[in-house]
Amino acid sequence: MKFFVDTADVDAIAELNDLGMVDGVTTNPSLILKSGRDIIEVTKEICSIVSGPVSAEVVALKAEDMIAEGRKLAEIAPNIAVKVPLTWDGLKTCKVLSSEGKMVNVTLCFSANQALLAAKAGATFISPFIGRLDDINLDGLELIGDIRTIYDNYGFDTQILAASVRTANHVTQCALIGADVMTAPPAVIKGMASHVLTDKGLDQFMKDWAKTGQKIL
Ligand code: G3P
């Protein structure tokens, strides 16, 4: 499973990228706001750090305007994936931009039918939002499983990009289900390294080592 990092924080991206943890990046208008940076500037900087797909989201609502914005965003770097919302106009935009050979990430997906439409419109990635479904007492992971089954049934090559990933357990479950990609905030990716038994075991080793009176260096 590929790891995308869901942030526009350049320092956090660079740190994870140095560890080989970053196969791509996803941003959205809320993350651009959080970064306090200009969208074109920060996206260009991210693309200079990461060689994999970097999603940059359009903000227009009509297809014609979305297409123009998508073309402008795609000029930033060859690894831009234009992110469009899963609306009818977003699907029209997806069809046009994917026909031009651009990567398209269709976002804000909350149903299997929406994912089916995105695949037919030529999406490179479909982004189902797990956490936001869980927030309203639906099962985000069940949606990932349903889309996996449907895409496999018909051989769609649109990649399932599990988004709104909030916990390390979400990551495990996405990997078990067979999501192609998951995108998570840096804190969730770092949190995957934590285990209470690792901390306990290390603590004991340190205590015993101190008793030996030895040094390695
Ligand atoms: O990848 C989508 C993500 O940015 C949304 O996450 O936690 O705001 O639902 P969240």
Side-chain angles (χ1 to χ4, degrees), residues 6 26 28 31 83 129 132 163-164 166 183:
D6 197 30
T26 49
N28 61 39
L31 294 172
K83 206 170 178 190
F129 277 37
R132 292 193 193 184
S164 187
R166 308 257 179 86
T183 189

Side-chain angles (χ1 to χ4, degrees), residues 81-159:
V82 179
K83 206 170 178 190
V84 302
L86 211 155
T87 58
W88 202 249
D89 284 73
L91 291 169
K92 283 184 193 168
T93 305
C94 176
K95 182 69 185 159
V96 170
L97 296 181
S98 61
S99 306
E100 292 174 0
K102 297 174 176 57
M103 288 189 282
V104 181
N105 176 359
V106 181
T107 190
L108 290 168
C109 170
F110 294 96
S111 77
N113 279 342
Q114 288 181 316
L116 198 43
L117 292 173
K120 293 192 83 71
T124 316
F125 302 103
I126 181 69
S127 291
F129 277 37
I130 301 174
R132 292 193 193 184
L133 281 168
D134 292 353
D135 287 344
I136 58 163
N137 286 328
L138 293 174
D139 190 341
L141 290 165
E142 186 176 283
L143 175 61
I144 302 293
D146 288 349
I147 300 172
R148 180 75 283 155
T149 302
I150 291 168
Y151 280 8
D152 289 349
N153 281 348
Y154 299 100
F156 287 118
D157 56 13
T158 298
Q159 296 179 50

Side-chain angles (χ1 to χ4, degrees), residues 12 33 37 40 52 54-55 79 103 115 121 136 144 148-149 156 168 175 177 182 185:
L33 173 68
R37 305 266 315 265
I40 304 289
V54 173
S55 290
N79 55 329
M103 288 189 282
I136 58 163
I144 302 293
R148 180 75 283 155
T149 302
F156 287 118
I177 292 165
M182 75 85 202

Side-chain angles (χ1 to χ4, degrees), residues 47-74:
C47 290
S48 72
I49 299 170
V50 175
S51 54
V54 173
S55 290
E57 188 159 344
V58 301
V59 290
L61 297 175
K62 292 209 163 81
E64 198 187 319
D65 303 324
M66 280 189 201
I67 292 165
E69 287 184 354
R71 286 180 180 145
K72 180 168 178 186
L73 291 171

